[in-house]
mmCIF file of all heavy atoms in Angstrom:
data_model
loop_
_atom_site.group_PDB
_atom_site.id
_atom_site.type_symbol
_atom_site.label_atom_id
_atom_site.label_comp_id
_atom_site.label_asym_id
_atom_site.label_seq_id
_atom_site.Cartn_x
_atom_site.Cartn_y
_atom_site.Cartn_z
ATOM 1 N N ALA A 1 0.233 -7.422 0.075
ATOM 2 C CA ALA A 1 -0.278 -8.262 -1.002
ATOM 3 C C ALA A 1 -1.632 -8.848 -0.654
ATOM 4 O O ALA A 1 -2.529 -8.882 -1.494
ATOM 5 C CB ALA A 1 0.733 -9.341 -1.349
ATOM 6 N N LEU A 2 -1.741 -9.330 0.580
ATOM 7 C CA LEU A 2 -3.059 -9.870 1.013
ATOM 8 C C LEU A 2 -4.148 -8.856 0.938
ATOM 9 O O LEU A 2 -5.287 -9.075 0.493
ATOM 10 C CB LEU A 2 -2.912 -10.441 2.424
ATOM 11 C CG LEU A 2 -2.255 -11.799 2.542
ATOM 12 C CD1 LEU A 2 -1.996 -12.148 4.018
ATOM 13 C CD2 LEU A 2 -3.084 -12.898 1.875
ATOM 14 N N ARG A 3 -3.836 -7.626 1.396
ATOM 15 C CA ARG A 3 -4.810 -6.550 1.317
ATOM 16 C C ARG A 3 -5.214 -6.256 -0.117
ATOM 17 O O ARG A 3 -6.418 -6.048 -0.405
ATOM 18 C CB ARG A 3 -4.236 -5.319 1.985
ATOM 19 C CG ARG A 3 -5.128 -4.141 2.070
ATOM 20 C CD ARG A 3 -4.469 -2.998 2.870
ATOM 21 N NE ARG A 3 -5.229 -1.763 2.817
ATOM 22 C CZ ARG A 3 -4.786 -0.626 3.343
ATOM 23 N NH1 ARG A 3 -3.620 -0.567 4.005
ATOM 24 N NH2 ARG A 3 -5.507 0.485 3.260
ATOM 25 N N TRP A 4 -4.216 -6.256 -1.003
ATOM 26 C CA TRP A 4 -4.453 -5.946 -2.432
ATOM 27 C C TRP A 4 -5.328 -7.054 -3.083
ATOM 28 O O TRP A 4 -6.326 -6.747 -3.701
ATOM 29 C CB TRP A 4 -3.086 -5.911 -3.140
ATOM 30 C CG TRP A 4 -3.096 -5.371 -4.511
ATOM 31 C CD1 TRP A 4 -2.867 -6.100 -5.652
ATOM 32 C CD2 TRP A 4 -3.234 -4.001 -4.941
ATOM 33 N NE1 TRP A 4 -2.859 -5.287 -6.766
ATOM 34 C CE2 TRP A 4 -3.089 -3.970 -6.368
ATOM 35 C CE3 TRP A 4 -3.472 -2.822 -4.289
ATOM 36 C CZ2 TRP A 4 -3.214 -2.801 -7.085
ATOM 37 C CZ3 TRP A 4 -3.540 -1.651 -5.008
ATOM 38 C CH2 TRP A 4 -3.402 -1.670 -6.417
ATOM 39 N N PHE A 5 -5.008 -8.314 -2.866
ATOM 40 C CA PHE A 5 -5.674 -9.404 -3.462
ATOM 41 C C PHE A 5 -7.070 -9.634 -2.817
ATOM 42 O O PHE A 5 -8.030 -10.025 -3.484
ATOM 43 C CB PHE A 5 -4.886 -10.683 -3.455
ATOM 44 C CG PHE A 5 -3.722 -10.640 -4.424
ATOM 45 C CD1 PHE A 5 -2.455 -11.036 -4.042
ATOM 46 C CD2 PHE A 5 -3.895 -10.200 -5.742
ATOM 47 C CE1 PHE A 5 -1.362 -11.010 -4.908
ATOM 48 C CE2 PHE A 5 -2.819 -10.172 -6.620
ATOM 49 C CZ PHE A 5 -1.556 -10.547 -6.208
ATOM 50 N N ASP A 6 -7.163 -9.439 -1.470
ATOM 51 C CA ASP A 6 -8.475 -9.592 -0.832
ATOM 52 C C ASP A 6 -9.487 -8.651 -1.440
ATOM 53 O O ASP A 6 -10.672 -8.968 -1.604
ATOM 54 C CB ASP A 6 -8.357 -9.349 0.662
ATOM 55 C CG ASP A 6 -7.825 -10.529 1.437
ATOM 56 O OD1 ASP A 6 -7.799 -11.650 0.834
ATOM 57 O OD2 ASP A 6 -7.471 -10.398 2.615
ATOM 58 N N HIS A 7 -9.008 -7.438 -1.808
ATOM 59 C CA HIS A 7 -9.944 -6.461 -2.422
ATOM 60 C C HIS A 7 -10.320 -6.864 -3.838
ATOM 61 O O HIS A 7 -11.518 -6.946 -4.183
ATOM 62 C CB HIS A 7 -9.264 -5.050 -2.442
ATOM 63 C CG HIS A 7 -10.107 -4.019 -3.131
ATOM 64 N ND1 HIS A 7 -11.151 -3.379 -2.547
ATOM 65 C CD2 HIS A 7 -10.018 -3.563 -4.409
ATOM 66 C CE1 HIS A 7 -11.683 -2.540 -3.377
ATOM 67 N NE2 HIS A 7 -11.006 -2.597 -4.526
ATOM 68 N N TYR A 8 -9.305 -7.156 -4.663
ATOM 69 C CA TYR A 8 -9.576 -7.369 -6.081
ATOM 70 C C TYR A 8 -10.037 -8.780 -6.417
ATOM 71 O O TYR A 8 -10.720 -8.996 -7.427
ATOM 72 C CB TYR A 8 -8.351 -6.979 -6.915
ATOM 73 C CG TYR A 8 -8.135 -5.525 -6.998
ATOM 74 C CD1 TYR A 8 -7.090 -4.892 -6.275
ATOM 75 C CD2 TYR A 8 -8.986 -4.681 -7.747
ATOM 76 C CE1 TYR A 8 -6.888 -3.500 -6.331
ATOM 77 C CE2 TYR A 8 -8.812 -3.312 -7.790
ATOM 78 C CZ TYR A 8 -7.758 -2.707 -7.087
ATOM 79 O OH TYR A 8 -7.617 -1.367 -7.136
ATOM 80 N N LEU A 9 -9.700 -9.771 -5.567
ATOM 81 C CA LEU A 9 -10.157 -11.114 -5.861
ATOM 82 C C LEU A 9 -11.378 -11.534 -5.059
ATOM 83 O O LEU A 9 -12.171 -12.335 -5.536
ATOM 84 C CB LEU A 9 -8.999 -12.080 -5.603
ATOM 85 C CG LEU A 9 -7.999 -12.325 -6.745
ATOM 86 C CD1 LEU A 9 -7.212 -11.040 -6.997
ATOM 87 C CD2 LEU A 9 -7.065 -13.451 -6.424
ATOM 88 N N LYS A 10 -11.470 -11.005 -3.818
ATOM 89 C CA LYS A 10 -12.571 -11.452 -2.941
ATOM 90 C C LYS A 10 -13.668 -10.403 -2.785
ATOM 91 O O LYS A 10 -14.694 -10.641 -2.186
ATOM 92 C CB LYS A 10 -12.040 -11.813 -1.572
ATOM 93 C CG LYS A 10 -11.140 -13.058 -1.596
ATOM 94 C CD LYS A 10 -10.787 -13.485 -0.186
ATOM 95 C CE LYS A 10 -10.003 -14.776 -0.121
ATOM 96 N NZ LYS A 10 -9.722 -15.208 1.256
ATOM 97 N N GLY A 11 -13.347 -9.189 -3.247
ATOM 98 C CA GLY A 11 -14.318 -8.085 -3.093
ATOM 99 C C GLY A 11 -14.419 -7.557 -1.714
ATOM 100 O O GLY A 11 -15.395 -6.885 -1.340
ATOM 101 N N MET A 12 -13.446 -7.793 -0.877
ATOM 102 C CA MET A 12 -13.450 -7.324 0.510
ATOM 103 C C MET A 12 -13.067 -5.846 0.553
ATOM 104 O O MET A 12 -12.300 -5.364 -0.241
ATOM 105 C CB MET A 12 -12.482 -8.110 1.371
ATOM 106 C CG MET A 12 -12.835 -9.565 1.475
ATOM 107 S SD MET A 12 -11.508 -10.600 2.260
ATOM 108 C CE MET A 12 -11.405 -9.791 3.848
ATOM 109 N N ASP A 13 -13.624 -5.113 1.516
ATOM 110 C CA ASP A 13 -13.303 -3.708 1.659
ATOM 111 C C ASP A 13 -12.054 -3.574 2.494
ATOM 112 O O ASP A 13 -12.112 -3.427 3.727
ATOM 113 C CB ASP A 13 -14.491 -2.951 2.298
ATOM 114 C CG ASP A 13 -14.192 -1.453 2.411
ATOM 115 O OD1 ASP A 13 -13.248 -0.996 1.787
ATOM 116 O OD2 ASP A 13 -14.974 -0.751 3.074
ATOM 117 N N THR A 14 -10.907 -3.614 1.834
ATOM 118 C CA THR A 14 -9.624 -3.452 2.567
ATOM 119 C C THR A 14 -9.054 -2.022 2.389
ATOM 120 O O THR A 14 -7.894 -1.799 2.705
ATOM 121 C CB THR A 14 -8.604 -4.486 2.038
ATOM 122 O OG1 THR A 14 -8.387 -4.314 0.660
ATOM 123 C CG2 THR A 14 -9.093 -5.896 2.334
ATOM 124 N N ARG A 15 -9.833 -1.168 1.808
ATOM 125 C CA ARG A 15 -9.494 0.244 1.630
ATOM 126 C C ARG A 15 -8.168 0.413 0.869
ATOM 127 O O ARG A 15 -7.283 1.175 1.292
ATOM 128 C CB ARG A 15 -9.431 0.930 2.995
ATOM 129 C CG ARG A 15 -10.768 0.925 3.739
ATOM 130 C CD ARG A 15 -10.736 1.835 5.005
ATOM 131 N NE ARG A 15 -10.571 3.233 4.633
ATOM 132 C CZ ARG A 15 -9.592 4.019 5.109
ATOM 133 N NH1 ARG A 15 -8.719 3.521 5.963
ATOM 134 N NH2 ARG A 15 -9.501 5.249 4.707
ATOM 135 N N VAL A 16 -8.063 -0.278 -0.229
ATOM 136 C CA VAL A 16 -6.784 -0.148 -1.001
ATOM 137 C C VAL A 16 -6.692 1.250 -1.588
ATOM 138 O O VAL A 16 -5.582 1.706 -1.914
ATOM 139 C CB VAL A 16 -6.767 -1.207 -2.166
ATOM 140 C CG1 VAL A 16 -6.629 -2.591 -1.582
ATOM 141 C CG2 VAL A 16 -7.917 -1.045 -3.088
ATOM 142 N N ASP A 17 -7.841 1.952 -1.737
ATOM 143 C CA ASP A 17 -7.747 3.335 -2.238
ATOM 144 C C ASP A 17 -7.050 4.253 -1.274
ATOM 145 O O ASP A 17 -6.590 5.340 -1.656
ATOM 146 C CB ASP A 17 -9.174 3.846 -2.534
ATOM 147 C CG ASP A 17 -10.065 3.815 -1.283
ATOM 148 O OD1 ASP A 17 -9.926 2.852 -0.527
ATOM 149 O OD2 ASP A 17 -10.922 4.731 -1.159
ATOM 150 N N ALA A 18 -6.924 3.847 -0.010
ATOM 151 C CA ALA A 18 -6.254 4.648 1.014
ATOM 152 C C ALA A 18 -4.728 4.431 0.998
ATOM 153 O O ALA A 18 -3.992 5.203 1.637
ATOM 154 C CB ALA A 18 -6.808 4.376 2.398
ATOM 155 N N ILE A 19 -4.275 3.436 0.296
ATOM 156 C CA ILE A 19 -2.830 3.222 0.176
ATOM 157 C C ILE A 19 -2.241 4.322 -0.673
ATOM 158 O O ILE A 19 -2.742 4.608 -1.752
ATOM 159 C CB ILE A 19 -2.504 1.855 -0.474
ATOM 160 C CG1 ILE A 19 -3.071 0.703 0.369
ATOM 161 C CG2 ILE A 19 -1.018 1.671 -0.696
ATOM 162 C CD1 ILE A 19 -2.933 -0.660 -0.284
ATOM 163 N N PRO A 20 -1.173 4.994 -0.213
ATOM 164 C CA PRO A 20 -0.596 6.075 -1.023
ATOM 165 C C PRO A 20 -0.149 5.594 -2.397
ATOM 166 O O PRO A 20 0.261 4.403 -2.566
ATOM 167 C CB PRO A 20 0.642 6.483 -0.212
ATOM 168 C CG PRO A 20 0.310 6.091 1.179
ATOM 169 C CD PRO A 20 -0.473 4.817 1.079
ATOM 170 N N ASP A 21 -0.336 6.430 -3.394
ATOM 171 C CA ASP A 21 0.074 6.047 -4.759
ATOM 172 C C ASP A 21 1.544 5.735 -4.822
ATOM 173 O O ASP A 21 1.965 4.782 -5.501
ATOM 174 C CB ASP A 21 -0.292 7.166 -5.727
ATOM 175 C CG ASP A 21 -1.823 7.256 -5.967
ATOM 176 O OD1 ASP A 21 -2.509 6.296 -5.709
ATOM 177 O OD2 ASP A 21 -2.232 8.368 -6.338
ATOM 178 N N VAL A 22 2.388 6.522 -4.173
ATOM 179 C CA VAL A 22 3.832 6.334 -4.234
ATOM 180 C C VAL A 22 4.390 6.475 -2.817
ATOM 181 O O VAL A 22 4.189 7.456 -2.129
ATOM 182 C CB VAL A 22 4.524 7.340 -5.175
ATOM 183 C CG1 VAL A 22 6.029 7.118 -5.151
ATOM 184 C CG2 VAL A 22 3.997 7.190 -6.585
ATOM 185 N N THR A 23 5.133 5.445 -2.377
ATOM 186 C CA THR A 23 5.857 5.523 -1.149
ATOM 187 C C THR A 23 7.328 5.119 -1.469
ATOM 188 O O THR A 23 7.593 4.080 -2.054
ATOM 189 C CB THR A 23 5.320 4.497 -0.129
ATOM 190 O OG1 THR A 23 3.946 4.780 0.052
ATOM 191 C CG2 THR A 23 6.063 4.653 1.213
ATOM 192 N N GLN A 24 8.245 6.003 -1.130
ATOM 193 C CA GLN A 24 9.670 5.790 -1.406
ATOM 194 C C GLN A 24 10.503 5.935 -0.173
ATOM 195 O O GLN A 24 10.217 6.800 0.691
ATOM 196 C CB GLN A 24 10.229 6.751 -2.436
ATOM 197 C CG GLN A 24 9.897 6.397 -3.882
ATOM 198 C CD GLN A 24 10.851 7.090 -4.840
ATOM 199 O OE1 GLN A 24 11.860 6.525 -5.263
ATOM 200 N NE2 GLN A 24 10.525 8.314 -5.227
ATOM 201 N N TYR A 25 11.544 5.138 -0.026
ATOM 202 C CA TYR A 25 12.501 5.354 1.009
ATOM 203 C C TYR A 25 13.406 6.468 0.635
ATOM 204 O O TYR A 25 13.782 6.612 -0.525
ATOM 205 C CB TYR A 25 13.366 4.065 1.168
ATOM 206 C CG TYR A 25 14.201 4.020 2.435
ATOM 207 C CD1 TYR A 25 13.632 3.575 3.628
ATOM 208 C CD2 TYR A 25 15.540 4.441 2.430
ATOM 209 C CE1 TYR A 25 14.408 3.511 4.796
ATOM 210 C CE2 TYR A 25 16.276 4.372 3.568
ATOM 211 C CZ TYR A 25 15.749 3.927 4.754
ATOM 212 O OH TYR A 25 16.497 3.846 5.904
ATOM 213 N N LEU A 26 13.661 7.381 1.571
ATOM 214 C CA LEU A 26 14.485 8.549 1.295
ATOM 215 C C LEU A 26 15.875 8.339 1.946
ATOM 216 O O LEU A 26 16.008 8.379 3.168
ATOM 217 C CB LEU A 26 13.837 9.804 1.888
ATOM 218 C CG LEU A 26 14.499 11.109 1.489
ATOM 219 C CD1 LEU A 26 14.462 11.334 -0.045
ATOM 220 C CD2 LEU A 26 13.725 12.297 2.173
ATOM 221 N N LEU A 27 16.841 8.043 1.108
ATOM 222 C CA LEU A 27 18.216 7.881 1.593
ATOM 223 C C LEU A 27 18.715 9.157 2.193
ATOM 224 O O LEU A 27 18.460 10.252 1.731
ATOM 225 C CB LEU A 27 19.145 7.484 0.427
ATOM 226 C CG LEU A 27 18.771 6.194 -0.310
ATOM 227 C CD1 LEU A 27 19.638 6.051 -1.579
ATOM 228 C CD2 LEU A 27 18.955 4.999 0.600
ATOM 229 N N GLY A 28 19.384 9.046 3.328
ATOM 230 C CA GLY A 28 19.884 10.243 4.040
ATOM 231 C C GLY A 28 18.942 10.610 5.165
ATOM 232 O O GLY A 28 19.383 10.980 6.226
ATOM 233 N N ARG A 29 17.632 10.504 4.905
ATOM 234 C CA ARG A 29 16.672 10.711 5.980
ATOM 235 C C ARG A 29 16.342 9.388 6.593
ATOM 236 O O ARG A 29 15.754 9.305 7.677
ATOM 237 C CB ARG A 29 15.426 11.419 5.424
ATOM 238 C CG ARG A 29 14.678 12.268 6.451
ATOM 239 C CD ARG A 29 13.539 13.048 5.816
ATOM 240 N NE ARG A 29 14.002 14.297 5.287
ATOM 241 C CZ ARG A 29 13.275 15.059 4.442
ATOM 242 N NH1 ARG A 29 12.081 14.655 4.107
ATOM 243 N NH2 ARG A 29 13.730 16.190 4.010
ATOM 244 N N GLU A 30 16.663 8.297 5.877
ATOM 245 C CA GLU A 30 16.537 6.902 6.318
ATOM 246 C C GLU A 30 15.103 6.590 6.813
ATOM 247 O O GLU A 30 14.931 6.022 7.905
ATOM 248 C CB GLU A 30 17.587 6.602 7.432
ATOM 249 C CG GLU A 30 18.979 6.983 7.093
ATOM 250 C CD GLU A 30 19.440 6.478 5.747
ATOM 251 O OE1 GLU A 30 19.036 5.378 5.325
ATOM 252 O OE2 GLU A 30 20.287 7.176 5.071
ATOM 253 N N ARG A 31 14.146 6.897 6.026
ATOM 254 C CA ARG A 31 12.771 6.556 6.364
ATOM 255 C C ARG A 31 11.928 6.591 5.092
ATOM 256 O O ARG A 31 12.311 7.148 4.066
ATOM 257 C CB ARG A 31 12.184 7.568 7.392
ATOM 258 C CG ARG A 31 12.126 8.999 6.900
ATOM 259 C CD ARG A 31 11.335 9.910 7.903
ATOM 260 N NE ARG A 31 9.922 9.657 7.781
ATOM 261 C CZ ARG A 31 9.204 9.074 8.773
ATOM 262 N NH1 ARG A 31 9.734 8.743 9.924
ATOM 263 N NH2 ARG A 31 7.879 8.917 8.593
ATOM 264 N N TYR A 32 10.759 5.887 5.182
ATOM 265 C CA TYR A 32 9.827 5.912 4.067
ATOM 266 C C TYR A 32 9.002 7.192 4.097
ATOM 267 O O TYR A 32 8.577 7.653 5.183
ATOM 268 C CB TYR A 32 8.880 4.730 4.142
ATOM 269 C CG TYR A 32 9.575 3.401 3.853
ATOM 270 C CD1 TYR A 32 10.157 2.647 4.878
ATOM 271 C CD2 TYR A 32 9.633 2.950 2.556
ATOM 272 C CE1 TYR A 32 10.824 1.461 4.595
ATOM 273 C CE2 TYR A 32 10.261 1.704 2.257
ATOM 274 C CZ TYR A 32 10.870 1.017 3.282
ATOM 275 O OH TYR A 32 11.496 -0.185 3.005
#
């Protein structure tokens, strides 16, 4: 959240574009 808001509210380069569009936990494999 800090990374998200620092970019959009403060104009800081926190590279939010590098955050994957979708990250899901995979049940059974037990990992993101």
Side-chain angles (χ1 to χ4, degrees):
L2 282 171
R3 181 175 172 185
W4 190 252
F5 288 133
D6 279 348
H7 175 81
Y8 287 106
L9 274 67
K10 293 186 174 183
M12 297 170 60
D13 182 12
T14 59
R15 300 190 63 234
V16 295
D17 57 325
I19 299 175
D21 288 337
V22 179
T23 304
Q24 280 200 94
Y25 193 85
L26 189 61
L27 300 171
R29 209 173 273 167
E30 310 308 329
R31 61 171 287 113
Y32 289 90

